[in-house]
Amino acid sequence: MAATLLRIHPDNPPQNRLLQAVEVLRNGGVIIYPTDTVYGLGCDIHNAKAVEKLCRIKGIHPDKANLSFICADLSHISDYAHGITTPVYKVLKKALPGPFTFIFEASAKAPRYGGVKRKTVGIRVPDNQICVSLVRELGNPIVSTSIHDDDTLIEYSTDPDLIYEKYRSLVDLVIDGGFGNNVASTVVDCTNEDFDIIRQGAGDIEQYL
């Protein structure tokens, strides 16, 4: 069955449409949705079957997958990340919401996918009303990975209509929140408090240090 294409206004997302998307997540569905950087493939953090489906779509094994956790704010981060010191927390507070993925040591509460305990987790709080509202309505983070493009010149897919055409038979819902960006988040390793940049993307962490 083809996925639903759901158009949601990015600045003022209607509650009824958000709840439609949240219902899909609660039922173990995989969705495509906009962030403040590129479009993401996501599902409920607590649904292992949905995570396995997401990994199959992406062509990766669950225990090898570098999946991010999309949070609505900083309150969920300590549930899944371990060893966040006060200086690190102060930087997060300044930089988020924003185009960053922060890598931390995984806490004991971090979900296991593929039966493997994760050593690290990537945490995101995007500056995007749609995905932050989805997480709030769902009540817990969304597991996420970026949508890549097959085009050699364009690394990430930006047009929601083209994304829908490509993934309509693979996912349960595609949210059209307008054109996405073509630059992913900046990935910052915080496991040793050094803020090491693993991938330079849309965010400049230096201005928050």
Side-chain angles (χ1 to χ4, degrees), residues 81-132:
H82 177 66
I84 302 175
T85 62
T86 302
V88 169
Y89 186 80
K90 281 181 177 169
V91 172
L92 296 187
K93 213 162 175 197
K94 284 189 280 186
L96 297 174
F100 299 97
T101 302
F102 290 105
I103 308 292
F104 295 101
E105 285 179 29
S107 74
K109 274 180 155 182
R112 299 181 179 212
Y113 304 128
V116 176
K117 185 179 185 322
R118 309 187 72 73
K119 289 184 179 156
T120 59
V121 291
I123 303 285
R124 283 214 66 201
V125 182
D127 188 9
N128 177 282
Q129 281 299 318
I130 293 173
C131 67
V132 166

Side-chain angles (χ1 to χ4, degrees), residues 37-59:
T37 55
V38 299
Y39 266 81
L41 194 62
C43 66
D44 187 336
I45 193 172
H46 296 307
N47 192 314
K49 279 205 167 79
V51 175
E52 284 168 18
K53 181 178 175 182
L54 180 149
C55 290
R56 274 200 308 278
I57 294 166
K58 183 91 175 190

Side-chain angles (χ1 to χ4, degrees), residues 137-184:
E137 291 292 347
L138 183 63
N140 54 255
I142 295 171
V143 172
S144 184
T145 183
S146 303
I147 297 281
H148 281 264
D149 200 287
D150 297 330
D151 192 308
T152 51
L153 296 175
I154 303 169
E155 191 175 355
Y156 298 97
S157 304
T158 58
D159 184 335
D161 287 320
L162 294 179
I163 291 170
Y164 177 71
E165 285 308 315
K166 181 176 175 182
Y167 289 95
R168 60 189 295 175
S169 62
L170 298 172
V171 301
D172 302 283
L173 177 77
V174 176
I175 294 175
D176 174 357
F179 269 76
N181 293 325
N182 192 30
V183 181

Side-chain angles (χ1 to χ4, degrees), residues 70-83:
I70 303 280
C71 301
D73 50 44
L74 294 176
S75 63
H76 276 127
I77 292 180
S78 57
D79 290 343
Y80 307 105
H82 177 66

